[in-house]
Amino acid sequence: MVKRKKIYEGKAKILYEGPEPGTLIAHFKDDATAFNNQKHGQIEGKGALNNRISEYLMTRLDGIGIPNHFIRRLNMREQLVHQVEIIPLEMVCRNVAAGTICKRFGIKEGEKLPRPIIEYYLKDDALGDPLVSEDHVSAFGWASSQEMDDMVAMTFRVNDFLSGLFYAIGIQLIDFKLEFGRQYEDDMVRVILADEVSPDCCRLWDIKTNRKLDKDRFREDLGEVPEAYAEVARRLGVLKDEPKLKLVDRETTE
Ligand code: UDP
């Protein structure tokens, strides 16, 4: 056995050095955090489900020309990805009001927005990921205006595509968060979609019942968290039989 070199450990994933230069192995953990890391827990089976769901969605997105870091799934919890230099922004796209936009503007949860809205947040845990403007992004040099244009265009395309894809399986895409990175090849650099696309970073509601099928079940202590992730995976067709999953009772709120 050879010890793998850990490059980075985040809240939901560990990144190891990949087998070839320019690649990494993403390991999906069962750990869940919410409210800027104040709430911690474990959702048994989440890592394996998100690995599958993200594989499926990234592959479909590649099919419509959204370049992304996914190369191939390696095993239950791991996938091989292209190494990128992460752009320190979270691109949030919203179709229906939920979460922070409700508090910020006094909008009722579930209210349809006049049109899809994109927001930018700075990826900085110590600062609690503050909302930033395009002028902050350019003045502080977090991304160039060309990169912003590319990320905004890709985020709207992802929204249209995923809204339709989820609609077809009875799910409404309320909002989601994307992260992008710079991929360097010789003297070229391009912006590609990175991180993951899964119920950890999307809000997904059943169209008929409005039942939440995403991380809000964990955030709001609604119960049946792994079951909701498994339901999304099953409807996407990436899970044939529901595994026996249960929420590990290790949840603590600080
Ligand atoms: N989101 C995320 N990571 C974050 C913040 C938000 O994946 O650090 C996702 C979240 O799951 C939701 C969308 O981005 O689908 C919008 O989240 P919001 O700004 O409402 O914040 P939250 O309520 O998640 O704190």
Side-chain angles (χ1 to χ4, degrees):
M1 295 283 270
V2 182
K3 195 162 166 25
R4 293 192 294 187
K5 188 170 168 204
K6 197 190 276 189
I7 305 288
Y8 174 80
E9 179 156 6
K11 287 169 265 182
K13 287 191 292 299
I14 304 172
L15 296 176
Y16 294 103
E17 195 172 61
E20 295 142 35
T23 64
L24 294 175
I25 294 169
H27 176 104
F28 286 68
K29 301 192 283 184
D30 285 349
D31 298 287
T33 62
F35 308 122
N36 195 28
N37 236 344
Q38 287 185 337
K39 178 173 170 142
H40 294 257
Q42 285 233 319
I43 301 167
E44 198 178 307
K46 174 175 85 80
L49 289 166
N50 280 354
N51 188 28
R52 279 297 185 104
I53 293 171
S54 199
E55 169 193 17
Y56 178 76
L57 296 176
M58 289 291 195
T59 305
R60 295 293 307 268
L61 288 169
D62 181 63
I64 62 152
I66 302 286
N68 65 68
H69 75 164
F70 179 80
I71 301 172
R72 66 174 183 278
R73 187 165 56 82
L74 298 172
N75 55 52
M76 286 267 288
R77 286 184 179 272
E78 294 179 336
Q79 52 182 243
L80 186 66
V81 299
H82 292 291
Q83 184 164 27
V84 294
E85 177 186 270
I86 284 286
I87 293 172
L89 296 174
E90 298 192 342
M91 311 289 284
V92 167
C93 182
R94 304 175 184 276
N95 299 303
V96 173
T100 53
I101 199 169
C102 295
K103 268 197 220 139
R104 184 169 293 120
F105 300 120
I107 310 174
K108 242 181 77 200
E109 184 183 76
E111 198 163 300
K112 198 172 173 341
L113 298 169
R115 60 170 178 80
I117 294 172
I118 293 187
E119 297 172 341
Y120 323 116
Y121 292 86
L122 179 65
K123 260 174 77 70
D124 188 321
D125 283 342
L127 297 176
D129 295 348
L131 181 73
V132 295
S133 73
E134 199 152 350
D135 213 29
H136 291 134
V137 175
S138 75
F140 292 114
W142 297 319
S144 70
S145 62
Q146 179 64 58
E147 288 171 337
M148 282 300 273
D149 287 351
D150 290 349
M151 290 190 288
V152 167
M154 282 193 265
T155 302
F156 278 130
R157 285 200 71 208
V158 169
N159 185 43
D160 286 346
F161 182 74
L162 290 187
S163 292
L165 184 147
F166 280 116
Y167 185 82
I169 54 170
I171 291 175
Q172 195 179 6
L173 179 62
I174 303 299
D175 60 27
F176 60 92
K177 180 261 310 180
L178 298 179
E179 293 185 23
F180 293 87
R182 299 181 186 99
Q183 185 186 25
Y184 294 93
E185 256 175 37
D186 303 323
D187 56 354
M188 303 292 281
V189 55
R190 66 170 182 168
V191 173
I192 66 173
L193 178 61
D195 194 45
E196 68 182 271
V197 184
S198 74
D200 263 10
C201 41
C202 300
R203 284 195 171 92
L204 303 167
W205 295 1
D206 181 86
I207 283 175
K208 282 199 193 119
T209 62
N210 279 346
R211 180 179 157 82
K212 294 179 177 177
L213 299 171
D214 55 61
K215 203 166 100 178
D216 271 354
R217 300 203 73 80
F218 168 75
R219 291 189 188 98
E220 299 168 13
D221 295 321
L222 298 175
E224 299 185 332
V225 190
E227 290 80 359
Y229 282 64
E231 175 70 21
V232 173
R234 201 174 37 242
R235 288 200 206 180
L236 287 170
V238 301
L239 194 72
K240 298 288 171 274
D241 308 299
E242 188 175 337
K244 291 211 163 26
L245 299 168
K246 67 174 181 31
L247 185 63
V248 175
D249 191 20
R250 268 181 32 200
E251 199 171 282
T252 51
T253 309
E254 285 160 10

